[in-house]
């Protein structure tokens, strides 16, 4: 597809990052020009292995994969959340990857790829923002080659997940999130509010797990892992919803609002505070606030179908 959008993905694969990779690699609307890895859902080396494993399982073209930051900019890093399983990707026991990473740091890979691109590129960030923040700080002019940054992170009106106030990607590296969200670059945030909306049922996941295509089997296996872990009869497509928003923006509702990233050391550290007041003229806002586009809701049935179609598993959907 000649008018495919040139994108770079930043991931902490991670079960739901794997779902996002499955969607991005299958979509003719996206030209994935590189994938950068960062510590988050699991240690950096495991993130790299999981990412290469998914690409091998899909027999994907040789898209460059680079390893980046192995810890946040300031903090030592949070423990790997147990929900993703021992290997961070649902313990599916997929074959070890044959393909290798590129041997330059992810930040340098991002700089070179963006600098060499004739046109500005789109970043799809599904992980702690340590790589992206370092890129913007080390190369302040690189923003001229960034069309838009889509970020899965934060909350708009929803509660947090990692803490009552904060979502995992932002809480894992709050300083990095502040650098990116307050950069003034075009940012679209995909927070937990829509993240929690798009689901597969356990039955749909079972149908996918038994499907012919490798992508469908992997997606079904990951979804069943999450169903088991949470003891629920559904599983979220998670990060893949962010990719769906890039592919099919008509399926998303968004507003433009000022956001502040809480860098305090208290219980709200890593919160994304949005000024949702209707009347703000003449009312104070203390600290740093930056307008971003934020997705508040998505058309979940539409994105379920988009995801299932990318997996070649539309028949697995109950409706
Ligand atoms: O809070 C959800 C986010 O944190 C997702 O990107 C998930 O993969 C983890 O990185
Ligand atoms: Ca992620």
């Amino acid at each position: 597809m000649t008018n495919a959008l040139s994108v770079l993905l930043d991931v902490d694969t991670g079960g739901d990052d794997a779902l996002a990779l499955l969607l991005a690699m299958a979509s003719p609307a996206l030209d994935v020009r590189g994938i950068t890895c960062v510590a988050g859902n699991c240690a950096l080396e495991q993130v790299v292995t999981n990412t290469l494993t998914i690409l091998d399982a899909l027999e994907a073209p040789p898209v460059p994969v680079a390893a980046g930051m192995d810890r946040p900019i300031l903090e030592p890093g949070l423990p790997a959340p147990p929900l993703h399983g021992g290997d961070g990707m649902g313990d599916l026991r997929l074959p070890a990857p044959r393909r290798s990473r590129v041997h330059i740091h992810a930040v340098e890979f991002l700089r070179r790829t963006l600098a060499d691109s004739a046109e500005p590129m789109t970043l799809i960030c599904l992980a702690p923002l340590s790589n992206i923040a370092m890129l913007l700080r080390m190369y302040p002019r690189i923003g001229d080659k960034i069309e838009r940054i889509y970020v899965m992170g934060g909350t708009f009106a929803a509660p947090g997940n990692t803490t009552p106030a904060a979502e995992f990607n932002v809480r894992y590296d709050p300083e990095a999130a502040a650098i990116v969200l307050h950069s003034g670059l075009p940012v679209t945030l995909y927070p937990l509010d829509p993240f929690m909306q798009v689901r597969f049922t356990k039955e749909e996941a079972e149908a996918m797990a038994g499907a012919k295509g490798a992508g469908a089997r992997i997606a079904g296996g990951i979804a069943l892992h999450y169903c088991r872990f949470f003891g629920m009869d559904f599983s979220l497509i998670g990060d893949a919803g962010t990719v769906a928003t890039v592919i099919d923006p008509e399926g998303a509702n968004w507003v433009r609002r000022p956001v502040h990233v809480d860098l305090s050391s208290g219980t709200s550290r890593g919160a994304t505070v949005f000024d949702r007041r209707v009347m703000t003229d003449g009312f104070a806002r203390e600290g740093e606030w930056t307008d971003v586009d934020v997705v508040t809701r998505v058309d979940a049935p539409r994105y379920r179908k988009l995801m299932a179609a990318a997996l070649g598993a539309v028949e697995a959907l109950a409706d």
Side-chain angles (χ1 to χ4, degrees), residues 219-243:
I222 289 171
L224 287 174
H225 165 81
Y226 287 133
C227 289
R228 284 191 297 271
F229 180 86
F230 289 109
M232 307 286 271
D233 61 358
F234 68 86
S235 169
L236 306 177
I237 71 167
D239 285 327
T242 315
V243 175

Side-chain angles (χ1 to χ4, degrees), residues 12 17 41 126 239:
D12 60 338
D17 301 71
N41 282 326
L126 307 174
D239 285 327

Side-chain angles (χ1 to χ4, degrees), residues 11-18 40-41 81 83-84 125-128 152-154 161-162 166-170 192 195 226 238-239 242:
V11 297
D12 60 338
T13 314
D16 62 324
D17 301 71
N41 282 326
L83 66 109
H84 299 293
C125 307
L126 307 174
M152 189 281 127
N161 53 7
T162 291
E167 177 278 328
F168 177 81
N169 288 337
V170 176
L192 286 180
F195 183 95
Y226 287 133
D239 285 327
T242 315

Side-chain angles (χ1 to χ4, degrees), residues 222-309:
I222 289 171
L224 287 174
H225 165 81
Y226 287 133
C227 289
R228 284 191 297 271
F229 180 86
F230 289 109
M232 307 286 271
D233 61 358
F234 68 86
S235 169
L236 306 177
I237 71 167
D239 285 327
T242 315
V243 175
T245 299
V246 182
I247 294 169
D248 180 17
E250 293 304 306
N253 294 75
W254 53 271
V255 294
R256 188 163 180 78
R257 287 286 184 280
V259 68
H260 169 78
V261 180
D262 186 324
L263 297 179
S264 68
S265 55
T267 55
S268 61
R269 177 166 171 76
T272 51
V273 183
F274 277 91
D275 191 345
R276 296 183 282 125
R277 295 174 295 180
V278 175
M279 296 290 292
T280 56
D281 293 352
F283 291 92
R285 271 200 292 261
E286 294 163 350
E288 188 170 14
W289 295 80
T290 308
D291 284 354
V292 298
D293 297 323
V294 52
V295 177
T296 54
R297 279 192 65 72
V298 294
D299 179 340
R302 184 174 174 141
Y303 283 177
R304 277 167 36 87
K305 285 190 185 67
L306 178 69
M307 181 81 208

Side-chain angles (χ1 to χ4, degrees), residues 126-148:
L126 307 174
L129 289 161
S130 318
N131 287 340
I132 312 305
M134 291 297 289
L135 173 73
L136 298 184
R137 278 289 187 267
M138 288 170 66
Y139 305 104
R141 299 289 308 276
I142 204 66
D144 297 343
K145 298 302 287 294
I146 297 174
E147 177 73 25
R148 179 164 285 269

